[in-house]
């Protein structure tokens, strides 16, 4: 049995936008779409699943659809369902979130704890409807981006769109860079240039997804700024997340937190396997 793409619904407009995005994504990848509404019994919203199902079928008539209602904490239910899911898809804000919040508490909790990729559907309609024909993946130093790069290449190949791989770097502020005491990054760059870091991250997966069109972008500066700028003309932003040592969940880090709150397009957080 093909594992499903799971979308969390709570009756909010943001969750219905997530249903639209998820229905298209499920058809694109040929996987079933599973609608999940989870809430304590005293917080249930009438016919949430019915409205979400109508929305999914209207936008993607061929989608294979199933649904479920659970009397449980939404974040916990979604994380549990994500243990056997193609991905989890969520709206940027739910019904219970305070006005002015940039990202809902459930979406943030799920992004930090899930075992599968989590897509938070953000941005204006032009960013949610594949208008730009372009995706962005952030590539960091080390091995933390490997699964994210593979996810992004697969997505770009299925969408037949361009993938922009971005690696941002900078020397540590105030670091000594004399020959006697070079900065940590300067020592690392002596072995691998930023361009080589990007090439190495892409090399293995590019062979598997050879039809994907990839361009490389090396930026000197903060990763947050580089990725937000690149995502301004993208349909999807993909970032990786490491496992937390000795704890459950992921190490989202300051950059991923900022991107989850401010990305102008849907953002996928892909845990390192």
């Amino acid at each position: 049995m093909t594992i499903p793409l799971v979308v969390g619904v709570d009756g909010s407009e943001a969750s219905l936008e997530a249903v639209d995005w998820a229905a298209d994504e499920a058809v694109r990848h040929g996987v079933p779409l599973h609608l999940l509404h989870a809430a304590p019994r005293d917080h249930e919203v009438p016919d949430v699943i019915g409205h979400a199902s109508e929305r999914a079928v209207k936008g993607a008539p061929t989608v294979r659809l199933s649904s479920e209602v659970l009397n449980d904490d939404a974040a916990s239910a979604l994380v549990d369902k994500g243990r056997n899911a193609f991905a989890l898809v969520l709206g940027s804000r739910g019904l219970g979130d305070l006005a002015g919040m940039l990202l809902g508490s459930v979406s943030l909790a799920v992004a930090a704890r899930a075992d599968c990729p989590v897509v938070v559907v953000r941005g204006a309609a032009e960013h949610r409807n594949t208008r730009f024909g372009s995706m962005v993946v952030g590539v960091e130093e080390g091995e933390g981006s490997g699964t994210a790069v593979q996810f992004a290449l697969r997505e770009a190949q299925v969408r037949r769109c361009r993938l922009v791989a971005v690696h941002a770097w900078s020397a540590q502020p105030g670091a000594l860079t004399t020959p006697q005491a070079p900065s940590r990054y300067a020592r690392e760059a002596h072995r691998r240039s930023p361009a080589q870091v990007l090439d190495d991250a892409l090399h293995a997966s590019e062979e598997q997804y050879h039809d994907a069109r990839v361009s490389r972008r090396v930026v000197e500066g903060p990763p947050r700024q580089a990725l937000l700028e690149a995502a301004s003309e993208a349909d999807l932003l993909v970032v990786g997340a490491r496992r937390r040592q000795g704890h459950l969940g992921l190490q989202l880090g300051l950059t991923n937190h900022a991107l989850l709150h401010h990305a102008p397009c849907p953002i996928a957080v892909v845990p390192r396997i």
Side-chain angles (χ1 to χ4, degrees):
M1 180 180 295
T2 305
I3 59 174
L5 181 67
V6 177
V7 57
V9 295
D10 65 2
S12 66
E13 181 59 29
S15 79
L16 292 176
E17 291 171 354
V19 169
D20 294 338
W21 192 95
D24 287 340
E25 182 77 351
V27 171
R28 192 179 287 125
H29 287 275
V31 299
L33 178 64
H34 186 72
L35 307 178
L36 176 63
H37 175 53
R41 192 173 298 276
D42 57 344
H43 286 80
E44 288 184 12
V45 179
D47 206 24
V48 167
I49 289 294
H51 291 310
S53 298
E54 291 176 5
R55 183 93 167 222
V57 172
K58 181 179 179 180
T62 62
V63 70
R64 291 177 285 159
L65 195 62
S66 61
S67 61
E68 185 176 9
V69 177
L70 297 175
N71 294 123
D72 196 1
D73 168 70
S76 297
L78 286 160
V79 169
D80 183 64
K81 193 63 67 172
R83 295 189 177 98
N84 191 34
F86 183 82
L88 293 171
V89 181
L90 305 168
S92 58
R93 286 183 53 208
L95 283 177
D97 295 313
L98 298 174
M101 288 186 69
L102 295 172
L103 180 68
S105 56
V106 171
S107 298
L108 184 59
V110 173
R113 292 164 51 193
D115 292 325
C116 68
V118 175
V119 180
V120 177
V121 178
R122 300 183 50 83
E126 62 181 4
H127 284 283
R128 304 193 306 269
N129 296 332
T130 65
R131 169 187 168 181
F132 293 95
S134 179
M135 290 173 46
V136 174
V137 61
V139 177
E140 62 180 347
E141 183 71 41
E143 300 177 354
S145 301
T147 312
V149 167
Q150 189 172 26
F151 175 95
L153 284 165
R154 180 187 65 186
E155 194 71 30
Q157 181 164 293
V158 169
R159 289 169 176 249
R160 295 183 174 87
C161 74
R162 182 174 67 114
L163 176 62
V164 181
V166 178
H167 174 55
W169 66 275
S170 60
Q172 292 180 338
L176 296 176
T177 57
T178 64
Q180 293 77 21
S183 71
R184 179 192 62 81
Y185 188 85
R187 292 194 302 270
E188 180 66 19
H190 183 69
R191 298 197 300 269
R192 289 199 304 167
S193 68
Q196 188 63 52
V197 169
L198 195 51
D199 285 342
D200 290 347
L202 290 167
H203 176 69
S205 296
E206 271 188 312
E207 293 181 354
Q208 181 178 358
Y209 300 102
H210 52 82
D211 290 336
R213 295 181 288 121
V214 183
S215 62
R216 292 156 166 77
R217 186 178 300 177
V218 174
V219 180
E220 184 175 2
R224 167 183 169 170
Q225 180 179 342
L227 290 170
L228 287 176
E229 288 180 359
S232 66
E233 295 183 347
D235 302 312
L236 181 65
L237 170 63
V238 180
V239 294
R242 294 186 177 93
R243 299 288 177 191
R244 297 173 62 191
Q245 296 298 319
H247 300 276
L248 295 175
L250 305 176
Q251 184 177 327
L252 289 179
L254 294 177
T255 297
N256 281 359
H257 268 277
L259 296 172
L260 282 164
H261 282 85
H262 298 286
C265 63
I267 173 172
V269 177
V270 183
R272 175 183 174 187
I273 296 176

